[in-house]
Amino acid sequence: MASKPASLRTPSADASGRVAPVKAPNLPQRIFHVTHVDNLAGILGDGVIRPSSAAEPAVKLGSDITDELRRSASATADASVADCVAFSLSPQATWWAEVQQGAAGPTWSDQARTATITDFVVLGIPIAAVEDRLVLADGDAAAMVTTISTPDTVRRMLARAAADPAVLQAAEALIPGEVALDAVALVAVANDKRRAEVRGLLAEAGVAAKVVVYPPWFVPLELT
């Protein structure tokens, strides 16, 4: 049986009531939004990345069940999970590995199951560009057992993720509302053909993000 990743929750206090500080000198610096290349033109046309509650993607990865769960789960006092743009703390996130390995199960759409992995792009955004709005979850943000950060616990949750690769891959980062395209610093693709296509789309839209070919991000991790 697979063991549950270490929690992002604040560590328990010791007998004296003190909580040991979390030491993580190398906190995550970027968050990553994975989308199908067929969705990129719409994103560029809008000039923003929209949350799932407002987006109309050409290729929709989540199932109707997933949409319902995310609409009913709260990310903040004013926003549901569906009202946030979803990111990962790692470009090799657990959910992305599930899609790469066939998107089995009721949480994924038929489009996700038939998508070709090389048709996806990974948008990287510096945390510094959105840190004032960043919300973290220690897993699927719509799951009942997931812990959602408060403004006071975001940095501690980042530190705990940085200390454990399994936690880093499982965590979900949320940005309530829209995310401006000028926050995108990096677009990663699987091959040179896709890079040429994406560069052309970005140039037409006046987006200056760097486009790189990085195949390791498109190779499925071993799920345990």
Side-chain angles (χ1 to χ4, degrees), residues 154-196:
V154 168
R155 186 171 179 82
R156 182 172 292 276
M157 291 177 78
L158 282 172
R160 296 202 47 95
D164 189 327
V167 175
L168 191 73
Q169 291 159 9
E172 185 171 0
L174 303 170
I175 306 297
E178 300 172 343
V179 175
L181 287 180
D182 59 9
V184 178
L186 175 75
V187 182
V189 297
N191 54 46
D192 289 332
K193 180 180 179 182
R194 187 66 65 202
R195 177 172 58 182

Side-chain angles (χ1 to χ4, degrees), residues 9-204:
R9 296 177 177 84
T10 300
S12 301
D14 61 20
S16 67
R18 294 173 298 185
V19 174
V22 177
K23 297 180 180 180
N26 298 314
L27 294 181
Q29 298 299 308
R30 283 180 177 155
I31 52 178
F32 302 91
H33 180 78
V34 180
T35 192
H36 195 279
V37 70
D38 287 352
N39 298 334
L40 193 56
I43 292 171
L44 294 172
D46 290 340
V48 294
I49 308 172
R50 298 188 187 278
S52 61
S53 62
E56 297 182 357
V59 177
K60 182 174 169 291
L61 300 182
S63 67
D64 291 342
I65 292 173
T66 297
D67 290 345
E68 182 177 349
L69 290 172
R70 294 179 78 82
R71 285 193 299 267
S72 62
S74 296
T76 70
D78 303 315
S80 72
V81 173
D83 294 327
C84 303
V85 181
F87 292 84
S88 301
L89 291 181
S90 168
Q92 294 177 304
T94 303
W95 77 265
W96 176 218
E98 290 179 5
V99 172
Q100 291 174 307
Q101 295 184 17
T107 59
W108 302 110
S109 68
D110 289 340
Q111 285 182 303
R113 280 186 276 275
T114 59
T116 300
I117 296 306
T118 55
D119 287 341
F120 286 86
V121 297
V122 180
L123 310 181
I125 292 180
I127 287 178
V130 291
E131 61 186 344
D132 60 329
R133 296 193 288 152
L134 182 64
V135 178
L136 293 178
D138 61 0
D140 180 349
M144 292 182 64
V145 297
T146 299
T147 297
I148 304 291
S149 70
T150 66
D152 294 333
T153 61
V154 168
R155 186 171 179 82
R156 182 172 292 276
M157 291 177 78
L158 282 172
R160 296 202 47 95
D164 189 327
V167 175
L168 191 73
Q169 291 159 9
E172 185 171 0
L174 303 170
I175 306 297
E178 300 172 343
V179 175
L181 287 180
D182 59 9
V184 178
L186 175 75
V187 182
V189 297
N191 54 46
D192 289 332
K193 180 180 179 182
R194 187 66 65 202
R195 177 172 58 182
E197 177 187 359
V198 170
R199 276 180 170 171
L201 290 171
L202 295 182
E204 285 183 21

